[in-house]
C-alpha cells in the first residue's frame, strides 16, 4: 500500500498556473515550486449543481470547481450558496479553471471571518515549510 502525501494547502490561482508532470507542479515564486496531487482548499460556495454532482467555489484568487460532492459523508451541510467551506481532494484539471475531486468537505461558516482572514497566511506558511 503506497502512502499518500498529506494534502497541500493551495489557492486556486496557484493551480491555474500549475504544470503537469508526475503530479501537478505549482510555482511558489523565487524559483521555488512544489509537486502536489492531494490539495486542501477553502472558499465560498457560489453555485451548487447537484445534478452534475458539483459545486463552484471561490477563494481570494478565483473560482474552482469541486466534483463528487454527493458522495462525501457529511458533505450535504456544505452544499448551499454562501457557505464558507474546506475541501480536500485530488486535482482533476487546472484550466480553464481548477477542478478538484472531493475526498472530504467541512462547513467552516460559523467562524468564516476568522478562517478567511487566516487562510492565505496558512497557505503561505505551509508552502514555505514544504518547498
Amino acid at each position: 500500500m503506497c502512502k499518500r502525501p498529506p494534502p497541500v494547502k493551495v489557492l486556486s490561482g496557484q493551480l491555474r498556473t500549475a504544470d503537469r508532470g508526475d503530479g501537478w507542479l505549482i510555482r511558489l515564486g523565487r524559483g521555488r515550486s512544489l509537486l502536489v496531487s492531494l490539495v486542501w482548499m477553502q472558499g465560498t460556495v457560489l453555485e451548487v449543481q447537484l445534478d452534475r454532482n458539483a459545486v463552484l467555489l471561490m477563494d481570494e484568487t478565483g473560482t474552482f470547481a469541486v466534483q463528487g460532492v454527493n458522495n462525501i459523508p457529511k458533505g450535504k451541510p456544505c452544499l448551499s450558496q454562501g457557505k464558507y467551506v474546506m475541501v480536500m481532494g485530488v486535482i482533476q484539471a487546472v484550466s480553464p479553471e481548477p477542478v478538484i475531486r472531493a475526498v472530504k468537505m467541512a462547513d467552516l461558516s460559523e467562524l468564516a471571518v476568522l478562517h478567511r482572514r487566516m487562510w492565505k497566511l496558512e497557505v503561505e506558511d505551509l508552502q514555505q515549510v514544504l518547498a
Side-chain angles (χ1 to χ4, degrees):
M1 187 170 98
C2 95
K3 190 175 179 293
R4 257 202 171 142
V8 177
K9 295 177 181 180
V10 297
L11 299 168
S12 65
Q14 293 177 302
L15 289 184
R16 244 180 224 95
T17 60
D19 292 318
R20 185 76 201 241
D22 295 334
W24 294 95
L25 198 63
I26 58 170
R27 292 182 202 86
L28 304 177
R30 292 196 296 260
R32 296 175 318 140
S33 56
L34 193 57
L35 194 63
V36 298
S37 62
L38 188 64
V39 294
W40 173 338
M41 299 175 77
Q42 287 180 192
T44 304
V45 176
L46 291 182
E47 196 179 314
V48 179
Q49 306 159 337
L50 289 181
D51 54 323
R52 292 178 50 206
N53 197 12
V55 293
L56 184 65
L57 300 182
M58 185 170 94
D59 66 13
E60 48 279 9
T61 61
T63 58
F64 59 101
V66 179
Q67 295 180 331
V69 295
N70 298 339
N71 317 339
I72 299 172
K74 303 192 189 81
K76 288 280 186 260
C78 303
L79 304 181
S80 60
Q81 207 172 3
K83 292 261 189 191
Y84 188 74
V85 300
M86 171 278 273
V87 62
M88 225 177 271
V90 181
I91 301 168
Q92 300 291 293
V94 296
S95 78
E97 74 179 356
V99 177
I100 308 301
R101 183 172 41 77
V103 175
K104 178 182 178 180
M105 279 182 94
D107 185 358
L108 304 177
S109 299
E110 203 172 309
L111 295 170
V113 173
L114 179 66
H115 286 296
R116 203 175 275 126
R117 191 180 304 141
M118 297 300 293
W119 183 240
K120 210 165 183 179
L121 299 171
E122 287 179 40
V123 170
E124 287 167 9
D125 189 50
L126 179 70
Q127 289 178 359
Q128 278 178 348
V129 170
L130 295 175

